[in-house]
Amino acid sequence: MWQSAPPFGELLAGCRRSAVHLEMRDHYDDPDEAPRVAAWKAGHLPNPDDRESWWRPWLDLVSETVTRGVVIRRARIVSEPVSEYTRYLYDGTLTNIAAGEQIRWLSRRNASDIALPGNDFWLFDDRLVRFGHFSGEGAYLGDDVTDEPDVAKLCASAFETVWERATPHNRYKI
C-alpha cells in the first residue's frame, strides 16, 4: 500500500533493527543546507574535536536511534570524477559517522549491473520503504512510503548488493 510518508523522525522512532539509505544523485539542492555548503566552499571543514560546532538535530536523531540498537547504514552511488556537491558530502561524512552511521561509497560505473529502484530510498526493518523524490536540479519534491513486500525485497536486494561492492568511507578516496 502506497501512502504519504509520516515525519522522518516517526519512521526512525518506530524502527527496531535496521535503517538503510541508498543515495543515487550527484547533487541535492536543500535550502536548509545552503549555508553549510557555502561555508564549505569558503574552506570551512568540520573540526572533529569541536562537535558543538557541527552537531545538529539530524545527528542527534541518528545517535539516539543507534543507541537503541538500530543499525543505520548509508550507501552512496556516485559519478566519478565526483561532483562538487559529492566532495562536500565526503568532507562532512565524519559527522554522520560520529553519530553512528556506517557509510560506504560506490562508483556509478560499478553499479551498472545492479537492479536499482528509480529513486533514493530508506528501508526500515526490511519492511517499510520511504522513497524520496527530487527534481532534475536536486530540489526535494516529497516522498511516499510503502510496505508492499515486493518493493521492500527489491530495495533490500539493491542495497545489500551496493553495500557489498562499496568502499567504506575511511578507505574511499575522491
Side-chain angles (χ1 to χ4, degrees), residues 67-105:
T67 299
R68 288 190 294 108
V70 176
V71 175
I72 300 179
R73 297 182 294 159
R74 179 188 307 252
R76 294 177 170 142
I77 298 175
V78 296
S79 298
E80 292 177 334
V82 300
S83 68
E84 179 181 52
Y85 184 83
T86 298
R87 285 194 307 276
Y88 158 75
L89 287 178
Y90 179 86
D91 286 345
T93 293
L94 72 94
T95 64
N96 299 76
I97 292 171
E101 280 189 68
Q102 300 171 38
I103 299 178
R104 292 187 180 185
W105 304 79

PDB file of all heavy atoms in Angstrom, residues 67-105:
ATOM      1  N   THR A  67      21.783   4.287  19.551  1.00  0.00           N
ATOM      2  CA  THR A  67      21.866   3.931  20.969  1.00  0.00           C
ATOM      3  C   THR A  67      20.786   2.916  21.350  1.00  0.00           C
ATOM      4  O   THR A  67      21.003   2.073  22.216  1.00  0.00           O
ATOM      5  CB  THR A  67      21.768   5.197  21.847  1.00  0.00           C
ATOM      6  OG1 THR A  67      22.871   6.052  21.519  1.00  0.00           O
ATOM      7  CG2 THR A  67      21.810   4.869  23.326  1.00  0.00           C
ATOM      8  N   ARG A  68      19.643   2.962  20.671  1.00  0.00           N
ATOM      9  CA  ARG A  68      18.571   1.987  20.922  1.00  0.00           C
ATOM     10  C   ARG A  68      18.875   0.624  20.297  1.00  0.00           C
ATOM     11  O   ARG A  68      18.107  -0.308  20.434  1.00  0.00           O
ATOM     12  CB  ARG A  68      17.239   2.479  20.328  1.00  0.00           C
ATOM     13  CG  ARG A  68      16.599   3.606  21.031  1.00  0.00           C
ATOM     14  CD  ARG A  68      15.173   3.876  20.528  1.00  0.00           C
ATOM     15  NE  ARG A  68      15.079   4.340  19.151  1.00  0.00           N
ATOM     16  CZ  ARG A  68      14.618   3.633  18.122  1.00  0.00           C
ATOM     17  NH1 ARG A  68      14.205   2.398  18.275  1.00  0.00           N
ATOM     18  NH2 ARG A  68      14.556   4.154  16.911  1.00  0.00           N
ATOM     19  N   GLY A  69      19.980   0.506  19.560  1.00  0.00           N
ATOM     20  CA  GLY A  69      20.361  -0.770  18.962  1.00  0.00           C
ATOM     21  C   GLY A  69      20.037  -0.911  17.491  1.00  0.00           C
ATOM     22  O   GLY A  69      20.227  -1.984  16.909  1.00  0.00           O
ATOM     23  N   VAL A  70      19.561   0.156  16.856  1.00  0.00           N
ATOM     24  CA  VAL A  70      19.257   0.128  15.431  1.00  0.00           C
ATOM     25  C   VAL A  70      20.547   0.394  14.648  1.00  0.00           C
ATOM     26  O   VAL A  70      21.274   1.341  14.942  1.00  0.00           O
ATOM     27  CB  VAL A  70      18.186   1.184  15.064  1.00  0.00           C
ATOM     28  CG1 VAL A  70      17.943   1.231  13.567  1.00  0.00           C
ATOM     29  CG2 VAL A  70      16.890   0.919  15.826  1.00  0.00           C
ATOM     30  N   VAL A  71      20.822  -0.445  13.665  1.00  0.00           N
ATOM     31  CA  VAL A  71      21.986  -0.251  12.800  1.00  0.00           C
ATOM     32  C   VAL A  71      21.563   0.642  11.637  1.00  0.00           C
ATOM     33  O   VAL A  71      20.578   0.347  10.947  1.00  0.00           O
ATOM     34  CB  VAL A  71      22.508  -1.612  12.274  1.00  0.00           C
ATOM     35  CG1 VAL A  71      23.635  -1.404  11.275  1.00  0.00           C
ATOM     36  CG2 VAL A  71      22.950  -2.488  13.432  1.00  0.00           C
ATOM     37  N   ILE A  72      22.281   1.732  11.436  1.00  0.00           N
ATOM     38  CA  ILE A  72      21.986   2.653  10.335  1.00  0.00           C
ATOM     39  C   ILE A  72      23.144   2.613   9.355  1.00  0.00           C
ATOM     40  O   ILE A  72      24.292   2.891   9.712  1.00  0.00           O
ATOM     41  CB  ILE A  72      21.754   4.091  10.834  1.00  0.00           C
ATOM     42  CG1 ILE A  72      20.578   4.137  11.804  1.00  0.00           C
ATOM     43  CG2 ILE A  72      21.525   5.031   9.653  1.00  0.00           C
ATOM     44  CD1 ILE A  72      20.293   5.516  12.379  1.00  0.00           C
ATOM     45  N   ARG A  73      22.819   2.235   8.112  1.00  0.00           N
ATOM     46  CA  ARG A  73      23.825   2.190   7.046  1.00  0.00           C
ATOM     47  C   ARG A  73      23.366   3.064   5.887  1.00  0.00           C
ATOM     48  O   ARG A  73      22.190   3.085   5.553  1.00  0.00           O
ATOM     49  CB  ARG A  73      24.028   0.760   6.548  1.00  0.00           C
ATOM     50  CG  ARG A  73      24.564  -0.182   7.597  1.00  0.00           C
ATOM     51  CD  ARG A  73      24.789  -1.577   7.052  1.00  0.00           C
ATOM     52  NE  ARG A  73      23.525  -2.205   6.680  1.00  0.00           N
ATOM     53  CZ  ARG A  73      23.407  -3.231   5.833  1.00  0.00           C
ATOM     54  NH1 ARG A  73      24.471  -3.725   5.227  1.00  0.00           N
ATOM     55  NH2 ARG A  73      22.233  -3.748   5.573  1.00  0.00           N
ATOM     56  N   ARG A  74      24.319   3.756   5.292  1.00  0.00           N
ATOM     57  CA  ARG A  74      24.060   4.621   4.138  1.00  0.00           C
ATOM     58  C   ARG A  74      25.054   4.256   3.046  1.00  0.00           C
ATOM     59  O   ARG A  74      26.253   4.148   3.308  1.00  0.00           O
ATOM     60  CB  ARG A  74      24.230   6.088   4.526  1.00  0.00           C
ATOM     61  CG  ARG A  74      24.014   7.077   3.398  1.00  0.00           C
ATOM     62  CD  ARG A  74      24.399   8.486   3.837  1.00  0.00           C
ATOM     63  NE  ARG A  74      23.761   8.922   5.055  1.00  0.00           N
ATOM     64  CZ  ARG A  74      22.800   9.843   5.120  1.00  0.00           C
ATOM     65  NH1 ARG A  74      22.381  10.428   4.012  1.00  0.00           N
ATOM     66  NH2 ARG A  74      22.280  10.190   6.272  1.00  0.00           N
ATOM     67  N   ALA A  75      24.557   4.070   1.834  1.00  0.00           N
ATOM     68  CA  ALA A  75      25.424   3.828   0.683  1.00  0.00           C
ATOM     69  C   ALA A  75      25.157   4.923  -0.339  1.00  0.00           C
ATOM     70  O   ALA A  75      24.003   5.294  -0.575  1.00  0.00           O
ATOM     71  CB  ALA A  75      25.161   2.452   0.082  1.00  0.00           C
ATOM     72  N   ARG A  76      26.232   5.418  -0.921  1.00  0.00           N
ATOM     73  CA  ARG A  76      26.125   6.468  -1.930  1.00  0.00           C
ATOM     74  C   ARG A  76      26.711   5.962  -3.241  1.00  0.00           C
ATOM     75  O   ARG A  76      27.882   5.571  -3.293  1.00  0.00           O
ATOM     76  CB  ARG A  76      26.866   7.721  -1.475  1.00  0.00           C
ATOM     77  CG  ARG A  76      26.241   8.383  -0.270  1.00  0.00           C
ATOM     78  CD  ARG A  76      27.045   9.570   0.200  1.00  0.00           C
ATOM     79  NE  ARG A  76      26.306  10.325   1.203  1.00  0.00           N
ATOM     80  CZ  ARG A  76      26.871  10.894   2.277  1.00  0.00           C
ATOM     81  NH1 ARG A  76      28.172  10.813   2.462  1.00  0.00           N
ATOM     82  NH2 ARG A  76      26.121  11.558   3.127  1.00  0.00           N
ATOM     83  N   ILE A  77      25.894   5.980  -4.282  1.00  0.00           N
ATOM     84  CA  ILE A  77      26.370   5.681  -5.628  1.00  0.00           C
ATOM     85  C   ILE A  77      26.714   7.018  -6.262  1.00  0.00           C
ATOM     86  O   ILE A  77      25.854   7.907  -6.330  1.00  0.00           O
ATOM     87  CB  ILE A  77      25.302   4.934  -6.457  1.00  0.00           C
ATOM     88  CG1 ILE A  77      24.977   3.585  -5.807  1.00  0.00           C
ATOM     89  CG2 ILE A  77      25.783   4.746  -7.894  1.00  0.00           C
ATOM     90  CD1 ILE A  77      23.837   2.835  -6.484  1.00  0.00           C
ATOM     91  N   VAL A  78      27.963   7.175  -6.705  1.00  0.00           N
ATOM     92  CA  VAL A  78      28.426   8.476  -7.188  1.00  0.00           C
ATOM     93  C   VAL A  78      29.121   8.355  -8.540  1.00  0.00           C
ATOM     94  O   VAL A  78      29.751   7.356  -8.848  1.00  0.00           O
ATOM     95  CB  VAL A  78      29.380   9.140  -6.169  1.00  0.00           C
ATOM     96  CG1 VAL A  78      28.651   9.446  -4.867  1.00  0.00           C
ATOM     97  CG2 VAL A  78      30.608   8.296  -5.905  1.00  0.00           C
ATOM     98  N   SER A  79      28.976   9.410  -9.322  1.00  0.00           N
ATOM     99  CA  SER A  79      29.730   9.508 -10.567  1.00  0.00           C
ATOM    100  C   SER A  79      31.161   9.884 -10.226  1.00  0.00           C
ATOM    101  O   SER A  79      31.409  10.604  -9.254  1.00  0.00           O
ATOM    102  CB  SER A  79      29.118  10.589 -11.478  1.00  0.00           C
ATOM    103  OG  SER A  79      27.796  10.258 -11.822  1.00  0.00           O
ATOM    104  N   GLU A  80      32.089   9.385 -11.030  1.00  0.00           N
ATOM    105  CA  GLU A  80      33.493   9.741 -10.856  1.00  0.00           C
ATOM    106  C   GLU A  80      34.048  10.220 -12.186  1.00  0.00           C
ATOM    107  O   GLU A  80      33.754   9.596 -13.206  1.00  0.00           O
ATOM    108  CB  GLU A  80      34.294   8.533 -10.342  1.00  0.00           C
ATOM    109  CG  GLU A  80      33.921   8.139  -8.931  1.00  0.00           C
ATOM    110  CD  GLU A  80      34.670   6.903  -8.442  1.00  0.00           C
ATOM    111  OE1 GLU A  80      35.088   6.077  -9.280  1.00  0.00           O
ATOM    112  OE2 GLU A  80      34.825   6.762  -7.226  1.00  0.00           O
ATOM    113  N   PRO A  81      34.829  11.320 -12.182  1.00  0.00           N
ATOM    114  CA  PRO A  81      35.188  12.095 -11.007  1.00  0.00           C
ATOM    115  C   PRO A  81      33.928  12.665 -10.342  1.00  0.00           C
ATOM    116  O   PRO A  81      32.928  12.932 -10.996  1.00  0.00           O
ATOM    117  CB  PRO A  81      36.082  13.210 -11.525  1.00  0.00           C
ATOM    118  CG  PRO A  81      36.134  13.079 -13.011  1.00  0.00           C
ATOM    119  CD  PRO A  81      35.372  11.872 -13.413  1.00  0.00           C
ATOM    120  N   VAL A  82      34.025  12.852  -9.028  1.00  0.00           N
ATOM    121  CA  VAL A  82      32.850  13.253  -8.266  1.00  0.00           C
ATOM    122  C   VAL A  82      32.493  14.716  -8.501  1.00  0.00           C
ATOM    123  O   VAL A  82      33.338  15.535  -8.861  1.00  0.00           O
ATOM    124  CB  VAL A  82      33.040  12.994  -6.754  1.00  0.00           C
ATOM    125  CG1 VAL A  82      33.294  11.524  -6.478  1.00  0.00           C
ATOM    126  CG2 VAL A  82      34.136  13.865  -6.162  1.00  0.00           C
ATOM    127  N   SER A  83      31.216  15.020  -8.263  1.00  0.00           N
ATOM    128  CA  SER A  83      30.736  16.397  -8.376  1.00  0.00           C
ATOM    129  C   SER A  83      31.228  17.219  -7.188  1.00  0.00           C
ATOM    130  O   SER A  83      31.668  16.678  -6.165  1.00  0.00           O
ATOM    131  CB  SER A  83      29.204  16.418  -8.406  1.00  0.00           C
ATOM    132  OG  SER A  83      28.683  16.021  -7.140  1.00  0.00           O
ATOM    133  N   GLU A  84      31.124  18.526  -7.306  1.00  0.00           N
ATOM    134  CA  GLU A  84      31.484  19.403  -6.200  1.00  0.00           C
ATOM    135  C   GLU A  84      30.634  19.077  -4.970  1.00  0.00           C
ATOM    136  O   GLU A  84      31.143  19.021  -3.851  1.00  0.00           O
ATOM    137  CB  GLU A  84      31.291  20.870  -6.618  1.00  0.00           C
ATOM    138  CG  GLU A  84      31.626  21.853  -5.513  1.00  0.00           C
ATOM    139  CD  GLU A  84      31.412  23.290  -5.920  1.00  0.00           C
ATOM    140  OE1 GLU A  84      30.308  23.615  -6.402  1.00  0.00           O
ATOM    141  OE2 GLU A  84      32.353  24.079  -5.735  1.00  0.00           O
ATOM    142  N   TYR A  85      29.353  18.844  -5.185  1.00  0.00           N
ATOM    143  CA  TYR A  85      28.470  18.532  -4.061  1.00  0.00           C
ATOM    144  C   TYR A  85      28.885  17.216  -3.386  1.00  0.00           C
ATOM    145  O   TYR A  85      28.858  17.109  -2.160  1.00  0.00           O
ATOM    146  CB  TYR A  85      27.007  18.458  -4.520  1.00  0.00           C
ATOM    147  CG  TYR A  85      26.070  18.228  -3.374  1.00  0.00           C
ATOM    148  CD1 TYR A  85      25.638  19.292  -2.591  1.00  0.00           C
ATOM    149  CD2 TYR A  85      25.638  16.954  -3.047  1.00  0.00           C
ATOM    150  CE1 TYR A  85      24.792  19.091  -1.512  1.00  0.00           C
ATOM    151  CE2 TYR A  85      24.792  16.737  -1.972  1.00  0.00           C
ATOM    152  CZ  TYR A  85      24.374  17.808  -1.207  1.00  0.00           C
ATOM    153  OH  TYR A  85      23.545  17.599  -0.127  1.00  0.00           O
ATOM    154  N   THR A  86      29.294  16.229  -4.158  1.00  0.00           N
ATOM    155  CA  THR A  86      29.751  14.970  -3.570  1.00  0.00           C
ATOM    156  C   THR A  86      31.009  15.192  -2.739  1.00  0.00           C
ATOM    157  O   THR A  86      31.169  14.593  -1.671  1.00  0.00           O
ATOM    158  CB  THR A  86      29.970  13.901  -4.661  1.00  0.00           C
ATOM    159  OG1 THR A  86      28.722  13.642  -5.311  1.00  0.00           O
ATOM    160  CG2 THR A  86      30.510  12.606  -4.084  1.00  0.00           C
ATOM    161  N   ARG A  87      31.896  16.088  -3.195  1.00  0.00           N
ATOM    162  CA  ARG A  87      33.079  16.414  -2.381  1.00  0.00           C
ATOM    163  C   ARG A  87      32.654  17.048  -1.057  1.00  0.00           C
ATOM    164  O   ARG A  87      33.218  16.744  -0.009  1.00  0.00           O
ATOM    165  CB  ARG A  87      34.025  17.349  -3.142  1.00  0.00           C
ATOM    166  CG  ARG A  87      34.795  16.631  -4.230  1.00  0.00           C
ATOM    167  CD  ARG A  87      35.975  17.449  -4.774  1.00  0.00           C
ATOM    168  NE  ARG A  87      35.642  18.784  -5.226  1.00  0.00           N
ATOM    169  CZ  ARG A  87      35.153  19.087  -6.437  1.00  0.00           C
ATOM    170  NH1 ARG A  87      34.954  18.127  -7.314  1.00  0.00           N
ATOM    171  NH2 ARG A  87      34.888  20.321  -6.763  1.00  0.00           N
ATOM    172  N   TYR A  88      31.632  17.897  -1.100  1.00  0.00           N
ATOM    173  CA  TYR A  88      31.093  18.485   0.131  1.00  0.00           C
ATOM    174  C   TYR A  88      30.571  17.388   1.065  1.00  0.00           C
ATOM    175  O   TYR A  88      30.875  17.374   2.260  1.00  0.00           O
ATOM    176  CB  TYR A  88      29.982  19.493  -0.218  1.00  0.00           C
ATOM    177  CG  TYR A  88      29.023  19.747   0.906  1.00  0.00           C
ATOM    178  CD1 TYR A  88      29.383  20.536   1.994  1.00  0.00           C
ATOM    179  CD2 TYR A  88      27.752  19.178   0.893  1.00  0.00           C
ATOM    180  CE1 TYR A  88      28.505  20.748   3.037  1.00  0.00           C
ATOM    181  CE2 TYR A  88      26.867  19.393   1.932  1.00  0.00           C
ATOM    182  CZ  TYR A  88      27.247  20.177   3.000  1.00  0.00           C
ATOM    183  OH  TYR A  88      26.375  20.375   4.037  1.00  0.00           O
ATOM    184  N   LEU A  89      29.772  16.448   0.522  1.00  0.00           N
ATOM    185  CA  LEU A  89      29.261  15.347   1.341  1.00  0.00           C
ATOM    186  C   LEU A  89      30.405  14.536   1.942  1.00  0.00           C
ATOM    187  O   LEU A  89      30.384  14.192   3.128  1.00  0.00           O
ATOM    188  CB  LEU A  89      28.378  14.411   0.510  1.00  0.00           C
ATOM    189  CG  LEU A  89      27.004  14.895   0.112  1.00  0.00           C
ATOM    190  CD1 LEU A  89      26.309  13.841  -0.749  1.00  0.00           C
ATOM    191  CD2 LEU A  89      26.158  15.232   1.328  1.00  0.00           C
ATOM    192  N   TYR A  90      31.388  14.236   1.118  1.00  0.00           N
ATOM    193  CA  TYR A  90      32.531  13.441   1.558  1.00  0.00           C
ATOM    194  C   TYR A  90      33.226  14.115   2.743  1.00  0.00           C
ATOM    195  O   TYR A  90      33.520  13.479   3.755  1.00  0.00           O
ATOM    196  CB  TYR A  90      33.494  13.242   0.386  1.00  0.00           C
ATOM    197  CG  TYR A  90      34.718  12.449   0.730  1.00  0.00           C
ATOM    198  CD1 TYR A  90      34.696  11.059   0.667  1.00  0.00           C
ATOM    199  CD2 TYR A  90      35.897  13.079   1.115  1.00  0.00           C
ATOM    200  CE1 TYR A  90      35.827  10.312   0.984  1.00  0.00           C
ATOM    201  CE2 TYR A  90      37.025  12.346   1.434  1.00  0.00           C
ATOM    202  CZ  TYR A  90      36.984  10.967   1.374  1.00  0.00           C
ATOM    203  OH  TYR A  90      38.097  10.248   1.684  1.00  0.00           O
ATOM    204  N   ASP A  91      33.481  15.410   2.607  1.00  0.00           N
ATOM    205  CA  ASP A  91      34.189  16.137   3.668  1.00  0.00           C
ATOM    206  C   ASP A  91      33.383  16.216   4.959  1.00  0.00           C
ATOM    207  O   ASP A  91      33.958  16.331   6.038  1.00  0.00           O
ATOM    208  CB  ASP A  91      34.557  17.553   3.195  1.00  0.00           C
ATOM    209  CG  ASP A  91      35.706  17.566   2.206  1.00  0.00           C
ATOM    210  OD1 ASP A  91      36.413  16.539   2.076  1.00  0.00           O
ATOM    211  OD2 ASP A  91      35.903  18.608   1.555  1.00  0.00           O
ATOM    212  N   GLY A  92      32.063  16.153   4.862  1.00  0.00           N
ATOM    213  CA  GLY A  92      31.226  16.237   6.053  1.00  0.00           C
ATOM    214  C   GLY A  92      30.794  14.902   6.624  1.00  0.00           C
ATOM    215  O   GLY A  92      30.144  14.846   7.678  1.00  0.00           O
ATOM    216  N   THR A  93      31.164  13.813   5.966  1.00  0.00           N
ATOM    217  CA  THR A  93      30.706  12.491   6.392  1.00  0.00           C
ATOM    218  C   THR A  93      31.201  12.112   7.781  1.00  0.00           C
ATOM    219  O   THR A  93      30.542  11.339   8.479  1.00  0.00           O
ATOM    220  CB  THR A  93      31.092  11.433   5.342  1.00  0.00           C
ATOM    221  OG1 THR A  93      30.346  11.701   4.149  1.00  0.00           O
ATOM    222  CG2 THR A  93      30.794  10.017   5.794  1.00  0.00           C
ATOM    223  N   LEU A  94      32.291  12.696   8.221  1.00  0.00           N
ATOM    224  CA  LEU A  94      32.790  12.379   9.566  1.00  0.00           C
ATOM    225  C   LEU A  94      31.725  12.659  10.620  1.00  0.00           C
ATOM    226  O   LEU A  94      31.679  11.983  11.648  1.00  0.00           O
ATOM    227  CB  LEU A  94      34.079  13.128   9.876  1.00  0.00           C
ATOM    228  CG  LEU A  94      33.982  14.639  10.130  1.00  0.00           C
ATOM    229  CD1 LEU A  94      33.856  14.945  11.612  1.00  0.00           C
ATOM    230  CD2 LEU A  94      35.215  15.310   9.580  1.00  0.00           C
ATOM    231  N   THR A  95      30.843  13.627  10.366  1.00  0.00           N
ATOM    232  CA  THR A  95      29.804  13.928  11.353  1.00  0.00           C
ATOM    233  C   THR A  95      28.767  12.807  11.414  1.00  0.00           C
ATOM    234  O   THR A  95      28.311  12.445  12.498  1.00  0.00           O
ATOM    235  CB  THR A  95      29.121  15.278  11.045  1.00  0.00           C
ATOM    236  OG1 THR A  95      28.427  15.211   9.799  1.00  0.00           O
ATOM    237  CG2 THR A  95      30.135  16.415  11.004  1.00  0.00           C
ATOM    238  N   ASN A  96      28.400  12.257  10.263  1.00  0.00           N
ATOM    239  CA  ASN A  96      27.450  11.132  10.240  1.00  0.00           C
ATOM    240  C   ASN A  96      28.040   9.921  10.955  1.00  0.00           C
ATOM    241  O   ASN A  96      27.346   9.222  11.699  1.00  0.00           O
ATOM    242  CB  ASN A  96      27.104  10.746   8.803  1.00  0.00           C
ATOM    243  CG  ASN A  96      26.459  11.859   8.038  1.00  0.00           C
ATOM    244  OD1 ASN A  96      27.147  12.785   7.623  1.00  0.00           O
ATOM    245  ND2 ASN A  96      25.170  11.771   7.821  1.00  0.00           N
ATOM    246  N   ILE A  97      29.308   9.665  10.705  1.00  0.00           N
ATOM    247  CA  ILE A  97      29.978   8.525  11.320  1.00  0.00           C
ATOM    248  C   ILE A  97      30.078   8.718  12.834  1.00  0.00           C
ATOM    249  O   ILE A  97      29.843   7.789  13.613  1.00  0.00           O
ATOM    250  CB  ILE A  97      31.349   8.282  10.659  1.00  0.00           C
ATOM    251  CG1 ILE A  97      31.128   7.790   9.219  1.00  0.00           C
ATOM    252  CG2 ILE A  97      32.189   7.296  11.463  1.00  0.00           C
ATOM    253  CD1 ILE A  97      32.376   7.719   8.380  1.00  0.00           C
ATOM    254  N   ALA A  98      30.376   9.941  13.257  1.00  0.00           N
ATOM    255  CA  ALA A  98      30.448  10.221  14.694  1.00  0.00           C
ATOM    256  C   ALA A  98      29.102   9.973  15.378  1.00  0.00           C
ATOM    257  O   ALA A  98      29.048   9.559  16.534  1.00  0.00           O
ATOM    258  CB  ALA A  98      30.889  11.667  14.929  1.00  0.00           C
ATOM    259  N   ALA A  99      28.015  10.187  14.637  1.00  0.00           N
ATOM    260  CA  ALA A  99      26.673   9.959  15.194  1.00  0.00           C
ATOM    261  C   ALA A  99      26.308   8.480  15.212  1.00  0.00           C
ATOM    262  O   ALA A  99      25.361   8.084  15.882  1.00  0.00           O
ATOM    263  CB  ALA A  99      25.635  10.736  14.393  1.00  0.00           C
ATOM    264  N   GLY A 100      27.047   7.653  14.472  1.00  0.00           N
ATOM    265  CA  GLY A 100      26.802   6.221  14.496  1.00  0.00           C
ATOM    266  C   GLY A 100      26.415   5.585  13.179  1.00  0.00           C
ATOM    267  O   GLY A 100      26.192   4.374  13.123  1.00  0.00           O
ATOM    268  N   GLU A 101      26.323   6.371  12.107  1.00  0.00           N
ATOM    269  CA  GLU A 101      26.027   5.787  10.796  1.00  0.00           C
ATOM    270  C   GLU A 101      27.257   5.060  10.254  1.00  0.00           C
ATOM    271  O   GLU A 101      28.386   5.454  10.524  1.00  0.00           O
ATOM    272  CB  GLU A 101      25.670   6.882   9.776  1.00  0.00           C
ATOM    273  CG  GLU A 101      24.276   7.389   9.854  1.00  0.00           C
ATOM    274  CD  GLU A 101      23.949   8.301   8.671  1.00  0.00           C
ATOM    275  OE1 GLU A 101      23.887   7.793   7.530  1.00  0.00           O
ATOM    276  OE2 GLU A 101      23.761   9.509   8.889  1.00  0.00           O
ATOM    277  N   GLN A 102      27.003   4.026   9.472  1.00  0.00           N
ATOM    278  CA  GLN A 102      28.048   3.370   8.694  1.00  0.00           C
ATOM    279  C   GLN A 102      27.837   3.831   7.248  1.00  0.00           C
ATOM    280  O   GLN A 102      26.705   3.793   6.760  1.00  0.00           O
ATOM    281  CB  GLN A 102      27.918   1.862   8.786  1.00  0.00           C
ATOM    282  CG  GLN A 102      28.023   1.326  10.200  1.00  0.00           C
ATOM    283  CD  GLN A 102      27.679  -0.150  10.255  1.00  0.00           C
ATOM    284  OE1 GLN A 102      28.017  -0.910   9.355  1.00  0.00           O
ATOM    285  NE2 GLN A 102      27.007  -0.543  11.315  1.00  0.00           N
ATOM    286  N   ILE A 103      28.894   4.250   6.578  1.00  0.00           N
ATOM    287  CA  ILE A 103      28.741   4.830   5.239  1.00  0.00           C
ATOM    288  C   ILE A 103      29.760   4.234   4.280  1.00  0.00           C
ATOM    289  O   ILE A 103      30.943   4.094   4.607  1.00  0.00           O
ATOM    290  CB  ILE A 103      28.876   6.367   5.275  1.00  0.00           C
ATOM    291  CG1 ILE A 103      27.775   6.939   6.173  1.00  0.00           C
ATOM    292  CG2 ILE A 103      28.829   6.962   3.874  1.00  0.00           C
ATOM    293  CD1 ILE A 103      27.782   8.417   6.349  1.00  0.00           C
ATOM    294  N   ARG A 104      29.245   3.889   3.092  1.00  0.00           N
ATOM    295  CA  ARG A 104      30.098   3.380   2.012  1.00  0.00           C
ATOM    296  C   ARG A 104      29.784   4.122   0.718  1.00  0.00           C
ATOM    297  O   ARG A 104      28.695   4.659   0.533  1.00  0.00           O
ATOM    298  CB  ARG A 104      29.881   1.882   1.812  1.00  0.00           C
ATOM    299  CG  ARG A 104      30.376   1.056   2.993  1.00  0.00           C
ATOM    300  CD  ARG A 104      30.299  -0.414   2.718  1.00  0.00           C
ATOM    301  NE  ARG A 104      30.779  -1.169   3.865  1.00  0.00           N
ATOM    302  CZ  ARG A 104      30.918  -2.470   3.877  1.00  0.00           C
ATOM    303  NH1 ARG A 104      30.606  -3.183   2.805  1.00  0.00           N
ATOM    304  NH2 ARG A 104      31.359  -3.079   4.944  1.00  0.00           N
ATOM    305  N   TRP A 105      30.753   4.065  -0.206  1.00  0.00           N
ATOM    306  CA  TRP A 105      30.681   4.753  -1.491  1.00  0.00           C
ATOM    307  C   TRP A 105      30.887   3.736  -2.616  1.00  0.00           C
ATOM    308  O   TRP A 105      31.766   2.885  -2.532  1.00  0.00           O
ATOM    309  CB  TRP A 105      31.774   5.805  -1.575  1.00  0.00           C
ATOM    310  CG  TRP A 105      31.747   6.806  -0.466  1.00  0.00           C
ATOM    311  CD1 TRP A 105      32.217   6.646   0.809  1.00  0.00           C
ATOM    312  CD2 TRP A 105      31.223   8.128  -0.531  1.00  0.00           C
ATOM    313  NE1 TRP A 105      32.015   7.787   1.532  1.00  0.00           N
ATOM    314  CE2 TRP A 105      31.413   8.724   0.741  1.00  0.00           C
ATOM    315  CE3 TRP A 105      30.621   8.869  -1.534  1.00  0.00           C
ATOM    316  CZ2 TRP A 105      31.015  10.022   1.026  1.00  0.00           C
ATOM    317  CZ3 TRP A 105      30.226  10.172  -1.253  1.00  0.00           C
ATOM    318  CH2 TRP A 105      30.422  10.737   0.010  1.00  0.00           C
TER     319      TRP A 105
END
